[in-house]
Amino acid sequence: MITDAQGKDTAMSEIWNALTDPSIPFFRYAFIAGILSSVALGIIGTYVVTRRISYIAGAISHCVLAGIGLALYLKTVVGLTLLTPMHGAILSAVAAALIIGCVSMYASEREDTVIGALWAAGMSLGLIFIAMTPGYTDAMSYLFGNILLVSGKDLVTVLVLDAIVTVTCILFYNKFLALCFDEKFARLRGINVNFYYLLLLTLTALTTVLLLNILGTVMVIAMLTIPSAIAGKFSKRMWHMMIISMILNMLFTAAGLILSYHMNLPSGPVIILIAGAAYIIISLKSLFKTLFPKN
Amino acid sequence: MDSRRTIIEIENLSFSYGEMPVLIDVNLKIHEKESVCIIGPNGGGKSTLLNLILGLIKPQKGSIKVFGESPDKARGRIGYMPQYTQFDPAFPVTVMDIVLMGRVEKHLFGFYNKNDKKLALEALSETGMEALAKRHFSELSGGQRQRVLISRALVCAPELLLLDEPTANVDPAVQEQFYVTLERLNRKMAVIIVSHDLGVMSQKIESAVCVNRYVNIHPTSELDGTTIQKVYGANLRMIRHDHRCSGEGHCHE
């Protein structure tokens, strides 16, 4: 008979073997990718949650398809061979961020309407370009990445992203904090709030688009918002929230990968469900506290 | 006439949103170390006047000078306190973090230094809040949040303190304390309070600026019942017209 402890031991060593086995590098890469992307997700997620712009991250991640489609079209039909879908994706993500930012700052249009329209139009434009490009392209593979297909090159990309996000957010920590808490006051202190807001949106766009082909749209949005939302319940200061959010991101990704490996389920949904379950449990706990105080 | 230096001078100013006139032909002077209450009904143009003084919007007609300059140049010398209710209580900031925001423009990169923190603690002690510096904003009561926001305005070393609806949602005992603090601050700087609540009018405030599309100024003074009867023939408390009124005088609707 196998005891529980022995069972756990076998499970742990099995995961250790999977991580170190040179014949299956994809599991190791997935693990490292998850840990590395937690840094950018924790920092940007904190801003996305406190500034309440998660729907902007949603719109950006879907507009990316327009850029991917255009890049494929220009490459195949027009003959710009140096273009890759990633170039198009980055350009369209940053463009979408700047358009949304300018609309919310200058136009009298309702911001949420513009975001919704851009979201849908961006996706449609992408599908049209892909349809006009000869040959078969699976558009969905660009939107729903697969963490188990991560390459060494992808890991470098994530590292660069982490460096950009961390350095910028350390340099402008005070500016971003003042901007997110009280934009009007920051403006009155002579801070160029438009510039910093657009910078923040651009960082959000970069994080979204660079993690897209690893994690996929759904998972990027989930991992931007859920760990930070949980972290917010335990944080007194912005940087506490960022660090807690990073740690939660790492824990959810690690737990999700291990569980999906064991149960032979797709990794992305398992990771998201673990994060979602944790969020629901913690929210219910605070709801319970509000409903039944002093108990 | 007032011999003090003029810090806000508004001449023949009109402002409208599209076709809707919000402020019509406003003339107003506010002096250094004066205490003024801007009152009027909601939608009467109080916030517009406030945003004009802060230089966030520009008048279509007429001129506005703050400390002798255009308002967007002078705004660094104004300490602004918004309504505390507009903030997300779950936002991850401590009292200290908030007060330090009053020095956000001092450094292009990086963190606050010891001097910033020293000044922030001084500003907190002005409002009696230094013991709560490490608390989370959501742990504070309404009156305490308001004091933190005043400290944030004070850390900018302002010559003019501008308070937007400071007594909304604060109980009367706290309000009373609040006025004691304001009176002390008023010895060092001009104070402008914006409120829709006539009860805000304290006897410590020198002038009332009534805003309801047209703007008129009164000195505030608490008159006893008989004087009020004599002057107005009715029980109109605290407000009477002033020599600083515009030529035509004005009427309250």
Side-chain angles (χ1 to χ4, degrees):
Chain A
M1 235 180 91
I2 303 169
T3 65
D4 272 3
Q6 276 171 323
K8 228 178 241 167
D9 263 6
T10 349
M12 283 315 287
S13 60
E14 194 185 328
I15 284 150
W16 183 249
N17 289 339
L19 275 174
T20 49
D21 188 346
S23 67
I24 44 167
F26 63 87
F27 192 71
R28 189 166 60 243
Y29 280 161
F31 222 89
I32 299 171
I35 301 293
L36 287 181
S37 52
S38 298
V39 176
L41 287 170
I43 296 174
I44 296 300
T46 296
Y47 288 123
V48 163
V49 168
T50 54
R51 184 71 222 245
R52 302 178 180 202
I53 51 172
S54 50
Y55 54 93
I56 293 184
I60 290 170
S61 61
H62 287 81
C63 279
V64 159
L65 200 59
I68 292 171
L70 182 65
L72 283 173
Y73 178 80
L74 290 177
K75 186 180 175 155
T76 322
V77 180
V78 184
L80 298 171
T81 43
L82 284 176
L83 267 182
T84 66
M86 197 53 170
H87 294 144
I90 293 175
L91 275 179
S92 57
V94 173
L98 295 179
I99 291 171
I100 293 170
C102 290
V103 165
S104 76
M105 285 182 303
Y106 301 111
S108 53
E109 293 290 321
R110 292 190 186 92
E111 192 183 349
D112 58 330
T113 313
V114 175
I115 290 166
L118 204 64
W119 183 316
M123 274 192 97
S124 311
L125 197 64
L127 289 174
I128 298 279
F129 274 124
I130 288 171
M132 279 160 53
T133 308
Y136 175 73
T137 314
D138 181 13
M140 289 309 122
S141 69
Y142 291 106
L143 277 181
F144 297 93
N146 190 341
I147 196 167
L148 293 176
L149 294 181
V150 171
S151 66
K153 207 178 139 208
D154 290 328
L155 294 184
V156 175
T157 311
V158 180
L159 259 180
V160 172
L161 171 72
D162 281 347
I164 294 173
V165 168
T166 312
V167 170
T168 316
C169 291
I170 286 176
L171 285 180
F172 299 120
Y173 179 82
N174 293 334
K175 303 273 192 305
F176 285 154
L177 181 68
L179 168 73
C180 291
F181 182 71
D182 187 351
E183 185 180 326
K184 186 171 178 182
F185 186 84
R187 190 186 296 273
L188 292 176
R189 290 325 299 162
I191 301 298
N192 188 344
V193 290
N194 291 354
F195 169 77
Y196 288 105
Y197 185 48
L198 289 180
L199 180 63
L200 196 56
L201 285 184
T202 308
L203 287 179
T204 309
L206 278 179
T207 305
T208 311
V209 74
L210 292 180
L211 296 181
L212 217 52
N213 70 332
I214 300 177
L215 306 177
T217 320
V218 180
M219 191 163 155
V220 166
I221 296 169
M223 298 316 266
L224 267 179
T225 49
I226 299 174
S228 299
I230 298 174
K233 292 183 189 284
F234 304 102
S235 310
K236 260 167 94 169
R237 308 188 65 185
M238 194 85 149
W239 64 270
H240 296 182
M241 185 167 164
M242 289 172 179
I243 289 175
I244 296 175
S245 173
M246 276 181 215
I247 295 169
L248 287 174
N249 244 305
M250 291 177 192
L251 287 178
F252 293 148
T253 313
L257 278 173
I258 291 169
L259 202 66
S260 68
Y261 181 81
H262 261 284
M263 301 175 72
N264 200 20
L265 287 170
S267 55
V270 174
I271 295 170
I272 295 172
L273 283 182
I274 290 175
Y279 183 53
I280 289 171
I281 289 166
I282 282 158
S283 301
L284 283 180
K285 207 179 140 205
S286 26
L287 180 70
F288 193 76
K289 264 190 194 162
T290 336
L291 287 178
F292 308 101
K294 288 180 190 172
N295 277 329
Chain B
M1 285 303 285
D2 212 315
S3 62
R4 292 176 295 187
R5 190 165 58 100
T6 305
I7 54 170
I8 296 180
E9 190 164 20
I10 299 177
E11 280 175 347
N12 306 321
L13 178 145
S14 295
F15 186 88
S16 57
Y17 289 111
E19 296 286 292
M20 262 283 286
V22 184
L23 292 169
I24 298 170
D25 201 23
V26 177
N27 286 286
L28 178 66
K29 267 185 190 168
I30 292 173
H31 306 92
E32 60 179 346
K33 294 186 185 163
E34 191 171 352
S35 55
V36 177
C37 184
I38 298 179
I39 50 171
N42 287 327
K46 290 190 307 292
S47 309
T48 306
L49 186 61
L50 183 80
N51 287 335
L52 282 163
I53 293 172
L54 292 170
L56 293 171
I57 48 177
K58 296 216 166 359
Q60 282 99 358
K61 230 186 86 199
S63 74
I64 174 163
K65 285 245 155 55
V66 181
F67 299 111
E69 316 180 82
S70 71
D72 49 338
K73 282 195 190 123
R75 62 164 73 129
R77 296 159 77 176
I78 300 177
Y80 171 68
M81 190 202 91
Q83 299 178 42
Y84 76 86
T85 44
Q86 74 180 61
F87 297 106
D88 172 9
F91 199 96
V93 275
T94 61
V95 166
M96 192 66 176
D97 285 332
I98 295 175
V99 178
L100 282 169
M101 285 174 198
R103 295 187 58 80
V104 67
E105 81 281 13
K106 304 284 179 193
H107 313 278
L108 182 55
F109 301 115
F111 303 115
Y112 296 111
N113 57 31
K114 273 195 180 138
N115 184 44
D116 296 320
K117 285 171 189 161
K118 194 185 111 220
L119 292 169
L121 275 176
E122 280 170 20
L124 278 169
S125 67
E126 285 267 9
T127 58
M129 292 292 297
E130 74 271 39
L132 303 181
K134 290 193 173 137
R135 292 281 189 89
H136 188 260
F137 194 50
S138 68
E139 293 175 76
L140 308 184
S141 68
Q144 288 172 330
R145 286 181 200 185
Q146 190 183 60
R147 280 168 179 271
V148 170
L149 294 174
I150 294 183
S151 299
R152 180 178 70 164
L154 290 177
V155 87
C156 314
E159 294 160 67
L160 163 65
L161 197 56
L162 232 166
L163 313 157
D164 193 0
E165 300 278 1
T167 54
N169 303 302
V170 173
D171 63 62
V174 176
Q175 271 189 36
E176 199 47 52
Q177 257 190 331
F178 173 76
Y179 284 120
V180 174
T181 308
L182 268 195
E183 211 190 315
R184 190 162 39 78
L185 293 173
N186 191 208
R187 282 182 218 135
K188 287 182 271 180
M189 62 196 82
V191 174
I192 299 180
I193 298 175
V194 178
S195 181
H196 72 281
D197 176 12
L198 278 165
V200 163
M201 303 291 295
S202 139
Q203 51 179 315
K204 309 293 182 203
I205 288 170
E206 292 171 64
S207 330
V209 173
C210 299
V211 181
N212 194 2
R213 257 200 260 174
Y214 298 92
V215 171
N216 297 279
I217 310 157
H218 321 266
T220 60
S221 42
E222 201 162 45
L223 310 166
D224 60 36
T226 37
T227 330
I228 291 168
Q229 291 281 332
K230 245 187 240 165
V231 177
Y232 295 100
N235 193 13
L236 283 171
R237 123 192 124 110
M238 284 197 218
I239 301 174
R240 75 179 157 75
H241 285 248
D242 184 24
H243 57 278
R244 285 169 61 199
C245 270
S246 52
E248 299 80 20
H250 80 292
C251 55
H252 282 286
E253 284 160 83

